């Protein structure tokens, strides 16, 4: 894409300069009026600066538009047919007049009269045909002009939209939204695009599409009548335990929800200690389970609580046996009483996130939590993984502070960031 600035006294003059240099497909991206202030007013005149862009500069031959010969050909054929029909009609009319007026028995006189009448008729018919021909030509010219204008308007609209689409596509891809999803969004909105679309309306359309695709956050159901058992699963070190602490403290402190904790992460002493510390601070019970049988017992014992959070050990998604352990643990609780959150770090590279999320999808349904947003500037992967798995998005976290650095997923803020705005 070529982007240039042009300054002139009026916007039209500046646009003309742009068109002369960049061709007729040029798109005016921005218009800035320069009004001199203070003393500068005395010796400087106001001017207009435009920013113009074009996909690529076209050569003279390309920009020149050729007449539409097929239309011209059709019109000529039509004209010929009309003329022929007219001539035939006239010939017939003349024959009829002669037959009617010829006095019987005076051939010479009759010949003279007939020939002068015929000449006059012929003259009139010629004038008539000429007049019709000229009208037809006018009509033809008008039609051609209208066609040309319509084509130019259509081309301009399409080219302008293409430039805007390219700008938006580039922004989304810079923010690591997968190209497939970018194209999907742009295709969706190009169908519903109005004739007078400008950059703002296209941006608004894309923004809306992203917000709709992200959807409503799927949060923990604090009003459930039955005890809810909430599992946190995911790779090592992504922030599962910290996120449980954040959610449990917020619910305990602000909503007075009856919360209990279970940990099955018995592989590291530090892991149990970490959760015990949070449990002590919050004054809530913690049960440690070593097997699915222990889990069943803990579930039974904690059935008077509103919410029971279950911390699991970070697992490599590549280890089949470990995946099997997690699945067994989850299935100790009936589906209607449980909720599973897959915790992923926004800093993990896309290829790994794809593999992790697809592997976990084989063992359970889940909602998505993305952590460590404070450690990355690109958040396209949140959108990508949601689109790939269809799993609802729930929370994001952006720091180590318990309980502050957590919030429900904010579709508007994500859409704005993906489009290059501030959240
Ligand atoms: N910057 C940042 N650090 C975080 C965030 N959430 C958690 N952490 C840090 O990440 C590290 C690991 O957090 P844990 O909660 O222990 O992670 P885990 O998933 O439970 O880890 P394992 O139990 O070992 O699998 C800790 O230092 C946390 O303070 C976050 O949103 N942003
Ligand atoms: Mg942990």
């Amino acid at each position: 894409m070529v982007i240039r600035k042009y300054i002139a006294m009026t916007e039209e003059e500046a646009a003309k300069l742009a068109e002369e240099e960049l061709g007729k497909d040029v798109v005016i991206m921005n218009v800035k009026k320069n009004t001199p202030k203070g003393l500068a007013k005395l010796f400087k005149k106001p001017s207009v600066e435009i920013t113009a862009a074009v996909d690529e500069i076209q050569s003279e031959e390309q920009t020149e538009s050729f007449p539409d010969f097929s239309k011209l050909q059709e019109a000529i054929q039509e004209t010929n047919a009309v003329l022929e029909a007219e001539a035939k009609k006239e010939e017939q009319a003349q024959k009829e007049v002669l037959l009617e007026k010829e006095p019987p028995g005076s051939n010479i006189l009759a010949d003279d009269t007939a020939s002068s009448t015929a000449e006059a008729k012929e003259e009139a018919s010629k004038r008539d045909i000429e007049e019709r021909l000229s009208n037809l030509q006018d009509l033809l010219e008008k039609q051609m002009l209208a066609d040309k204008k319509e084509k130019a308007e259509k081309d301009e609209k399409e080219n302008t939209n293409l430039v805007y689409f390219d700008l938006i596509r580039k922004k989304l891809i810079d923010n690591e939204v997968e190209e497939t999803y970018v194209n999907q969004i742009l295709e969706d909105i190009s169908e519903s695009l109005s004739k007078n679309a400008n950059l703002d309306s296209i941006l608004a359309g894309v923004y809306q599409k992203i917000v709709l695709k992200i959807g409503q956050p799927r949060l923990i159901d604090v009003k459930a009548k039955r005890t809810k058992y909430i599992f946190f699963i995911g790779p090592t070190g992504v922030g599962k335990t910290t996120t449980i602490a954040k959610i449990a403290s917020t619910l305990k402190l602000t909503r007075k929800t009856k919360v209990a904790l279970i940990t099955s992460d018995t592989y590291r002493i530090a892991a149990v200690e970490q959760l015990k510390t949070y449990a002590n601070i919050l004054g809530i019970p913690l049960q440690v389970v070593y097997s699915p049988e222990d889990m069943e017992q803990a579930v039974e014992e904690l059935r008077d609580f509103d919410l029971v959070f279950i911390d699991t050990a970070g697992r490599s998604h590549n280890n089949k046996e470990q995946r099997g352990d997690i699945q067994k643990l989850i299935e100790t609780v009936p589906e209607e009483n449980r909720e599973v959150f897959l915790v992923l770090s926004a800093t993990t590279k896309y290829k790994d996130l794809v593999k992790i999320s697809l592997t976990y999808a084989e063992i359970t349904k889940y909602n998505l939590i993305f952590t460590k947003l404070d450690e990355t500037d690109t958040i396209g992967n949140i959108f990508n993984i949601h689109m790939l798995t269809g799993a609802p998005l729930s929370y994001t976290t952006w720091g180590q502070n318990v309980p502050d650095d957590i919030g429900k997923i904010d579709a508007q803020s994500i859409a704005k960031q993906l489009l290059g705005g501030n959240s």
Side-chain angles (χ1 to χ4, degrees), residues 239-370:
K240 295 179 295 298
T241 309
T242 314
T243 304
I244 289 180
K246 287 172 182 171
I247 297 177
S249 11
T250 308
L251 292 177
K252 164 97 175 126
L253 300 174
T254 62
R255 304 191 73 110
K256 311 280 179 243
T257 313
K258 276 183 80 185
V259 178
L261 303 177
I262 293 177
T263 181
S264 68
D265 187 357
T266 51
Y267 301 87
R268 292 178 301 124
I269 295 175
V272 177
E273 288 306 313
Q274 188 187 3
L275 206 56
K276 209 177 247 172
T277 311
Y278 289 123
N280 288 342
I281 295 169
L282 294 170
I284 59 178
L286 166 71
Q287 299 237 359
V288 183
V289 299
Y290 294 87
S291 64
E293 293 74 37
D294 284 355
M295 180 69 192
E296 277 168 12
Q297 203 181 330
V299 165
E300 183 61 25
E301 282 173 24
L302 297 171
R303 67 170 195 270
D304 289 336
F305 285 80
D306 301 320
L307 297 171
V308 178
F309 293 100
I310 301 118
D311 194 10
T312 62
R315 287 300 197 211
S316 158
H317 57 282
N318 288 324
N319 187 319
K320 216 170 162 187
E321 196 188 325
Q322 290 181 350
R323 282 206 312 270
D325 289 347
I326 297 256
Q327 187 171 8
K328 274 189 212 138
L329 194 79
I330 291 172
E331 287 173 357
T332 54
V333 178
E335 204 173 342
E336 63 275 18
N337 296 345
R338 72 180 188 233
E339 192 97 46
V340 180
F341 288 86
L342 175 64
V343 184
L344 297 171
S345 165
T347 60
T348 306
K349 60 176 195 276
Y350 182 58
K351 231 171 142 183
D352 292 335
L353 286 175
V354 168
K355 198 146 180 235
I356 296 163
S357 55
L358 292 181
T359 313
Y360 278 105
E362 286 170 17
I363 62 170
T364 177
K365 254 175 44 181
Y366 55 72
N367 306 317
L368 289 162
I369 292 179
F370 275 90

Side-chain angles (χ1 to χ4, degrees), residues 4-24 26 28 47-53 57:
R4 285 188 194 154
K5 286 185 190 299
Y6 297 90
I7 299 176
M9 302 295 282
T10 66
E11 189 181 330
E12 288 73 33
E13 280 171 29
K16 206 162 157 239
L17 290 176
E19 198 174 317
E20 278 167 9
E21 198 170 307
L22 299 181
K24 72 174 179 47
V26 70
I28 310 299
S47 63
V48 177
E49 178 189 295
I50 63 163
T51 309
I57 299 176

Side-chain angles (χ1 to χ4, degrees), residues 1 9 13 23 52 64 87 96 116 143 162 169 192 231 233 239 250 257 282 296 323 328 332 349 376 380 388 390 418:
M1 185 164 64
M9 302 295 282
E13 280 171 29
E64 204 175 343
E96 280 165 15
S116 66
Q143 180 61 41
L162 280 182
R169 174 180 285 113
S192 58
F231 293 84
I233 60 173
T250 308
T257 313
L282 294 170
E296 277 168 12
R323 282 206 312 270
K328 274 189 212 138
T332 54
K349 60 176 195 276
T376 175
L388 174 80
L418 291 180

